[in-house]
C-alpha cells in the first residue's frame, strides 16, 4: 500500500494522509469526481501531502498529472494547467491535443467544454488525478478553467487535488 504515513516528511499528518487516500479509493470505487483543497502556510507540507496522494493514486491505477503553478505562468494563458496535463513521463494529454485545445483560449466556455471531453475520455479508461501545487499562483485562465472543470466532469472518476497558501 505505499509507505507509512509517518515516513517521508508526513510525521504528524497521518489523519490527513488517510483522508486523502480514502478519497482516492472512493473515486476509484464510485466512479465519481472529487475535489480536495489543501490550504496552509508555506512550509507546512502541502506539497508532501500532494505527492503522497499522487503516489497512492498511481499505485491504485490512476493516470496522474501533477504540476506546480509559478508567477511566470501569468505570462502565458493556461500554462499552469498545462503543467498538470502535459509535463509528465506519461502525460494525460499529448502536446498536440493540448495545443489544439489552447488555440480556443479566447473562447473560454468552448475551451472548458473541449477540455472536459478530453478528460472524460481519459477517465473512461482509467481514473485520473489532476494535482496543482500553489494554485494561488496560477494564471487567470487556468484558475477560470479550474473553477469550471470539476463540475463538468463530476460523473467521471477524476480527483482534483489542489494546494494553496493561506491568503496574506
Amino acid at each position: 500500500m505505499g509507505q507509512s504515513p509517518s515516513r517521508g516528511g508526513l510525521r504528524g499528518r497521518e489523519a490527513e494522509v488517510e483522508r486523502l487516500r480514502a478519497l482516492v479509493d472512493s473515486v476509484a470505487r464510485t466512479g465519481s469526481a472529487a475535489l480536495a483543497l489543501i490550504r496552509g502556510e508555506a512550509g507546512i507540507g502541502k506539497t508532501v501531502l500532494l505527492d503522497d496522494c499522487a503516489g497512492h493514486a498511481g499505485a491504485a491505477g490512476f493516470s496522474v498529472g501533477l504540476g506546480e503553478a509559478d508567477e511566470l505562468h501569468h505570462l502565458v494563458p493556461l500554462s499552469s494547467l498545462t503543467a498538470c496535463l502535459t509535463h509528465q513521463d506519461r502525460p494525460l494529454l499529448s502536446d498536440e491535443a493540448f495545443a489544439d485545445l489552447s488555440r480556443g483560449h479566447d473562447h473560454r466556455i468552448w475551451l472548458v467544454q473541449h477540455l472536459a471531453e478530453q478528460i472524460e475520455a481519459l477517465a473512461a479508461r482509467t481514473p485520473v488525478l489532476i494535482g496543482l501545487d500553489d494554485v494561488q499562483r496560477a494564471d487567470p485562465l487556468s484558475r477560470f478553467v479550474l473553477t469550471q472543470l470539476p463540475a463538468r466532469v463530476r460523473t467521471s472518476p477524476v480527483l482534483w487535488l489542489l494546494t494553496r497558501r493561506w491568503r496574506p
Side-chain angles (χ1 to χ4, degrees), residues 105-127:
H105 79 271
D106 290 336
H107 306 284
R108 292 173 175 219
I109 300 305
W110 179 92
L111 174 65
V112 168
Q113 181 60 37
H114 288 276
L115 194 49
E117 290 168 3
Q118 293 282 329
I119 292 169
E120 286 174 327
L122 178 60
R125 295 187 302 270
T126 180

Side-chain angles (χ1 to χ4, degrees), residues 73-92:
H73 286 173
H74 283 268
L75 301 174
V76 180
L78 212 58
S79 57
S80 300
L81 196 54
T82 301
C84 299
L85 300 175
T86 64
H87 296 193
Q88 309 294 319
D89 291 338
R90 293 175 42 208
L92 299 180

Side-chain angles (χ1 to χ4, degrees), residues 19-34 56 62 157 159:
R19 286 175 55 194
L20 289 171
R21 289 181 178 186
L23 191 57
V24 168
D25 298 341
S26 174
V27 168
R29 185 179 66 256
T30 66
S32 295
H56 180 71
F62 279 60
L159 174 55

